[in-house]
Amino acid sequence: MASVDLEKLRMTGDGRSIAVLTSGGDAQGMNAAVRAVTRMGMYVGAKVYLIYEGYQGLVDGGDNIKLANWLSISNIIQLGGTIIGSARCKAFTTREGRLSAAYNLVQRGITNLCVCGGDGSLTGANIFRTEWSGLLAELVEAGKITEALSQQYTHLNIVGLVGSIDNDFCGTDMTIGADSALHRIMEVIDAITTTAQSHQRTFVLEVMGRHCGYLALVSALASGADWLFIPESPAADGWEDRMCERLGETRSKGSRLNTVIMAEGAIDRHGKPISSNYVKELVVKRLGFDTRVTVLGHVQRGGTPSAFDRVLSSKMGMEAVLALLEATPETPACVVSLSGNHAVRLPLMECVQMTKEVQKAMNELRFDEAIQLRGKSFENNWNTYKLLAHQKPSQSKSNFSLAILNVGAPAAGMNAAVRSAVRVGLAQGHKVYTVNDGFEGLARGAVNEIYWRDVGGWTGQGGSLLGTKRTRPKTCLDKIVENIRKYNIQALLVIGGFEAYEGVLQLVEARGHYDELCIVMCVIPATISNNVPGTDLSLGSDTAVNAAMESCDKIKQSASGTKRRVFIVETMGGFCGYLATTAGIAVGADAAYIFEEPFNIHDLKANVEHLTDKMKTDIQRGLVLRNEKCHHHYTTEFIHNLYSAEGKGVFDCRMNVLGHLQQGGSPTPFDRNYGTKLGVKAVLWITDKLKETYRQGRVFADAPETACMVGMRRKVLSFNPVTELKEHTDFEHRMPKEQWWLNLRPMLKMLAKYPTNFNEYVTGEIEHVTRRSLSIETGF
């Protein structure tokens, strides 16, 4: 990976022209991508053109191709759809149409094209690129352009951004719009669940995905649906009997509702379509349940983009410009993609070819292969859903017992982690206890045995249903040990933030004094602050960022009728600036003050001057985020007073403290799934360790690797001993010493038009997409 020299970038961009278009079906986040491509292009000194109405605008030319300026893409990051329009264009599929498109680009000196769309749009772009020299020769022959002009623009560079709510493009973790579509689906499922419970109804929900079951699969996993139809893995013959048996069994065990989720492309083992109405009629006829069908349709494409889609699109847009500047006639057309929080560049046609292979496998009824070609992450989702959806009797009792507790402040997704941990524990044959109110509850003896049905419907609930306290074990160690002995607890699963990490560390350090603490321990990181070592992301941080973003969107909107207003908004996070930085990118903030990046009065003065200049343009509002502990003296009130005094006569100032709304609300689809998977992985790891450390009739686990934090680094889940994480932890400020998200800071500043040093920015590398890369990738 190579870092970027800003001055070299500026020299490379000077005199170049870049055009950006959106094509095919729209997806939330496309506007953020257009904004990032435009601003990064201008930042490096290039001219940037916006092409309206997709390829149709490229073919028609004229006013459909407009030179952009900094303000032309202002205040669009929060908008769904695409402000430059998208259209399916038949003309571009013909040679004549592409001839016209080439003429329109050459006339404006554009030889760099960024296309945001699905595999069809990107394939079209690649055809255009390969034909470019031939098209120019034809234009010269027809007398439409001069030979000199054709020699000046001999090569067309193409870079793709995948915009598709279906997440059906091989090689990329997430496509632009997929996370937002999941948000829309989960909002509907949560709403339908309440009415279904009231009337004891069965609901059949049909989601988009003609050829890809991603949306159906992830929403089923996030909602705990009773039955699922996806085109990649149709149910075996006789599925009607099994489904009805499953739905009836669920009701007989006390559930008041059933949920069946199906992709619109649902088929049976022989490739025959299955319709939502057929499923409804089947349930009514066989079971007599009051059943309703809801087809979500284009609701999934609409609405505001999620925080993830805004940050993803911004990062991809910025990387796309760098890829265009570095492209040569020899480099293949590439797609900018995401691989575990890092941008990568993938050869476009390798991805397209692999995406077509999936469809071919499904057409030929090779369904197991289709699932593998979707990638390891898809396969993991499918296996996790099958494991948790329906209770299977455990093969045998294990004689092991496991206790699960929540520690620290509540975080969205905790309940999803508890649900999956309980169910996997029971499936492994363990006795499973839950503990109320954290370590304090364990000391008090608030320990209860729990069963499969007890955690039904927990996935979508916010907060902590078990109750959680910040108490550390060292204040009540003897009583904790007494209850571990009393209930014969052989493993602890602690779900929480920095207090959970510190708590398990204290238990491990006390092992020398208490044999009862020589048990297996695992921490699932769950905190909105994302300040726990050993993981890139903590459970609950995605929900918190979305909550902060939604509030900031409303705060910004409140200034639309008020001229010249700046808002100072305080976020949570302790000393960790993750929330402020990520929310800042997602809402297009002018600045975000964080502890990790020291600032002084001169920096504050420069920010005020920057906003004063901004107020002289048509954008007469500003938004500044401040992490709650970013500076001991420069408090939110101080910064508000400073801005008010220095901006007097130019803008007025308002202050908002977001507070605990960042901890509340329903978990996002990401946190529901992340919690579910972490719960599964943690209990499977605990089970292995229990077997390894069982000797002479008891569990004796005293090695460092028997007390671990489960964390995700890029896309790899790993278990790191808590004792080893000590050296990577800043205990004074309660955060890791190194944090990956700090490399997002240059992007935040660039998008706000601040002079930025990109020496720390690391560009994406070319990675290849093959069957092997899809199958060996760990995926999450």
Side-chain angles (χ1 to χ4, degrees):
M1 288 192 169
S3 60
V4 182
D5 185 313
L6 180 61
E7 289 315 308
K8 280 185 185 170
L9 261 183
R10 287 234 158 108
M11 284 158 58
T12 317
D14 194 30
R16 306 275 284 273
S17 292
I18 297 170
V20 58
L21 65 85
T22 52
S23 174
D26 66 315
Q28 308 95 319
M30 280 183 166
N31 286 326
V34 169
R35 172 179 176 264
V37 170
T38 305
R39 290 195 167 174
M40 185 64 179
M42 293 170 69
Y43 200 81
V44 299
K47 280 184 182 176
V48 182
Y49 290 85
L50 303 176
I51 300 175
Y52 290 78
E53 313 309 336
Y55 283 122
Q56 193 63 56
L58 187 57
V59 172
D60 295 344
D63 283 346
N64 289 308
I65 304 176
K66 292 180 182 171
L67 187 63
N69 60 45
W70 198 267
L71 303 185
S72 52
I73 37 75
S74 174
N75 204 30
I76 66 168
I77 194 168
Q78 76 279 12
L79 302 177
T82 162
I83 60 150
I84 58 175
S86 178
R88 302 192 190 275
C89 175
K90 283 189 177 174
F92 194 74
T93 61
T94 66
R95 177 86 177 177
E96 292 71 27
R98 293 193 289 276
L99 202 61
S100 177
Y103 175 74
N104 290 326
L105 289 184
V106 167
Q107 286 294 301
R108 293 165 178 81
I110 300 167
T111 54
N112 298 283
L113 186 61
C114 177
V115 177
C116 184
D119 60 338
S121 304
L122 301 180
T123 304
N126 192 60
I127 291 167
F128 190 39
R129 174 183 181 263
T130 52
E131 288 182 355
W132 180 259
S133 53
L135 293 170
L136 292 199
E138 232 173 285
L139 289 171
V140 171
E141 206 175 310
K144 288 195 170 183
I145 63 169
T146 63
E147 179 66 37
L149 200 61
S150 108
Q151 290 304 314
Q152 197 177 341
Y153 305 117
T154 53
H155 181 68
L156 177 69
N157 295 318
I158 294 281
V159 69
L161 303 177
V162 191
S164 163
I165 66 165
D166 292 338
N167 200 30
D168 57 354
F169 198 76
C170 282
T172 180
D173 288 1
M174 285 290 272
T175 55
I176 294 169
D179 188 62
S180 301
L182 285 170
H183 275 251
R184 297 299 91 78
I185 294 168
M186 293 316 303
E187 285 160 15
V188 171
I189 291 176
D190 287 349
I192 277 176
T193 299
T194 56
T195 180
Q197 280 177 327
S198 303
H199 296 278
Q200 297 194 56
R201 282 190 174 133
T202 295
F203 267 89
V204 180
L205 287 108
E206 184 182 300
V207 302
M208 282 185 166
R210 197 172 304 132
H211 304 296
C212 178
Y214 176 82
L215 292 178
L217 172 55
V218 176
S219 52
L221 191 56
S223 62
D226 297 301
W227 196 267
L228 168 66
F229 293 93
I230 56 172
E232 290 87 349
S233 184
D237 292 342
W239 63 266
E240 292 95 337
D241 298 333
R242 285 194 305 281
M243 183 187 77
C244 291
E245 186 185 328
R246 170 89 57 89
L247 299 183
E249 189 183 324
T250 306
R251 287 289 180 96
S252 68
K253 288 183 177 174
S255 177
R256 291 179 60 85
L257 79 156
N258 299 115
T259 315
V260 176
I261 294 179
M262 54 195 308
E264 62 180 324
I267 52 175
D268 65 16
R269 276 278 159 190
H270 310 288
K272 183 185 166 195
I274 300 172
S275 73
S276 45
N277 279 321
Y278 174 71
V279 175
K280 173 197 167 179
E281 286 160 13
L282 189 69
V283 175
V284 172
K285 185 179 171 185
R286 300 260 187 109
L287 298 169
F289 293 165
D290 184 2
T291 307
R292 297 285 191 273
V293 171
T294 300
V295 179
L296 271 66
H298 284 74
V299 163
Q300 296 157 89
R301 285 197 190 279
T304 187
S306 65
F308 178 85
D309 271 328
R310 298 187 197 188
V311 177
L312 168 74
S313 304
S314 300
K315 193 163 174 54
M316 281 181 163
M318 187 171 152
E319 185 68 33
V321 172
L322 297 176
L324 285 171
L325 295 181
E326 292 171 9
T328 66
E330 287 72 45
T331 52
C334 76
V335 173
V336 173
S337 169
L338 181 77
S339 176
N341 295 325
H342 295 265
V344 293
R345 301 174 192 177
L346 308 171
L348 170 61
M349 291 320 290
E350 283 183 17
C351 297
V352 169
Q353 187 56 42
M354 207 52 67
T355 305
K356 286 178 177 171
E357 288 285 329
V358 183
Q359 190 55 49
K360 188 181 172 195
M362 286 196 287
N363 292 344
E364 295 171 2
L365 311 183
R366 292 181 282 116
F367 297 113
D368 289 346
E369 193 178 335
I371 290 242
Q372 287 170 359
L373 287 168
R374 280 272 178 245
K376 204 71 177 171
S377 180
F378 190 96
E379 197 176 342
N380 284 345
N381 283 332
W382 178 231
N383 291 333
T384 305
Y385 172 75
K386 288 188 291 185
L387 181 67
L388 299 174
H390 181 59
Q391 184 172 6
K392 302 154 197 74
S394 56
Q395 298 303 307
S396 60
K397 291 291 174 200
S398 69
N399 297 321
F400 293 130
S401 56
L402 156 72
I404 301 168
L405 59 156
N406 293 341
V407 174
M414 278 181 163
N415 299 321
V418 173
R419 169 187 172 266
S420 65
V422 166
R423 290 191 167 180
V424 174
L426 293 170
Q428 295 289 321
H430 308 328
K431 181 180 273 193
V432 182
Y433 296 107
T434 51
V435 181
N436 300 116
D437 302 328
F439 289 119
E440 195 176 301
L442 187 55
R444 213 173 55 234
V447 179
N448 303 293
E449 191 171 352
I450 195 162
Y451 302 97
W452 189 280
R453 295 294 322 155
D454 298 337
V455 289
W458 279 34
T459 317
Q461 299 200 47
S464 164
L465 292 172
L466 291 182
T468 178
K469 293 269 177 79
R470 294 179 183 271
T471 312
R472 315 292 201 287
K474 66 180 178 186
T475 59
C476 47
L477 205 52
D478 289 333
K479 288 182 178 175
I480 287 175
V481 168
E482 190 182 311
N483 282 314
I484 286 175
R485 189 189 311 121
K486 177 181 173 183
Y487 291 96
N488 190 28
I489 294 167
Q490 292 148 316
L492 276 182
L493 176 58
V494 185
I495 303 165
F498 206 84
E499 292 88 355
Y501 161 60
E502 279 188 308
V504 169
L505 204 50
Q506 287 172 13
L507 293 178
V508 170
E509 286 167 353
R511 276 174 168 175
H513 303 287
Y514 301 95
D515 270 5
E516 290 86 349
L517 296 178
C518 293
I519 58 175
V520 179
M521 301 182 221
C522 184
V523 183
I524 290 180
T527 164
I528 68 165
S529 305
N530 197 29
N531 64 334
V532 181
T535 186
D536 285 351
L537 285 172
S538 295
L539 193 54
S541 57
D542 185 64
T543 305
V545 169
N546 275 280
M549 176 197 81
E550 285 163 16
S551 300
C552 289
D553 281 349
K554 289 171 185 167
I555 288 167
K556 275 173 73 179
Q557 195 176 36
S558 73
S560 57
T562 313
K563 292 292 181 189
R564 300 190 182 136
R565 177 161 288 173
V566 174
F567 293 95
I568 312 295
V569 177
E570 182 186 298
T571 67
M572 287 174 123
F575 286 100
C576 178
Y578 174 80
L579 258 180
T581 298
T582 318
I585 293 167
V587 297
D590 294 284
Y593 299 120
I594 62 169
F595 174 78
E596 293 89 341
E597 204 169 84
F599 59 97
N600 56 34
I601 196 72
H602 301 295
D603 298 315
L604 292 172
K605 185 170 179 287
N607 291 149
V608 174
E609 287 166 359
H610 183 83
L611 279 165
T612 305
D613 289 342
K614 184 181 175 181
M615 295 298 163
K616 293 171 186 169
T617 69
D618 291 342
I619 318 171
Q620 301 190 335
R621 79 197 153 271
L623 181 70
V624 174
L625 268 58
R626 177 190 176 275
N627 169 245
E628 60 183 347
K629 290 188 178 177
C630 67
H631 200 288
H632 183 62
H633 300 294
Y634 299 150
T635 61
T636 305
E637 195 173 348
F638 174 88
I639 291 174
H640 168 253
N641 292 337
L642 178 74
Y643 273 64
S644 298
E646 293 298 316
K648 197 172 182 181
V650 182
F651 56 80
D652 66 353
C653 212
R654 295 287 186 275
M655 182 172 76
N656 296 81
V657 178
L658 298 183
H660 284 76
L661 71 82
Q662 296 158 92
Q663 274 182 359
S666 296
T668 57
F670 176 84
D671 277 330
R672 296 181 197 207
N673 286 333
Y674 191 31
T676 299
K677 289 182 186 174
L678 287 176
V680 171
K681 298 285 186 187
V683 173
L684 293 177
W685 176 86
I686 285 170
T687 303
D688 287 343
K689 290 294 171 193
L690 285 169
K691 289 173 184 171
E692 282 174 25
T693 56
Y694 186 77
R695 45 187 176 268
Q696 295 170 353
R698 64 156 292 188
V699 169
F700 189 80
D702 60 346
E705 60 272 13
T706 57
C708 284
M709 166 87 70
V710 56
M712 183 170 67
R713 285 282 169 87
R714 291 196 70 160
K715 284 185 292 186
V716 181
L717 261 190
S718 56
F719 289 83
N720 299 297
V722 290
T723 48
E724 287 180 16
L725 290 174
K726 277 177 78 172
E727 62 185 274
H728 304 289
T729 309
D730 174 353
F731 283 96
E732 183 190 348
H733 299 108
R734 294 163 50 89
M735 62 184 184
K737 289 178 181 174
E738 287 183 16
Q739 302 183 90
W740 68 270
W741 54 265
L742 286 169
N743 68 24
L744 297 174
R745 298 285 298 176
M747 178 168 77
L748 171 69
K749 293 175 187 172
M750 180 280 292
L751 291 170
K753 211 177 181 178
Y754 280 96
T756 308
N757 182 356
F758 272 86
N759 288 343
E760 298 301 310
Y761 183 80
V762 179
T763 59
E765 288 184 330
I766 282 278
E767 290 186 6
H768 291 280
V769 182
T770 61
R771 282 172 180 259
R772 187 167 182 276
S773 73
L774 290 173
S775 64
I776 62 167
E777 197 173 72
T778 47
F780 198 66

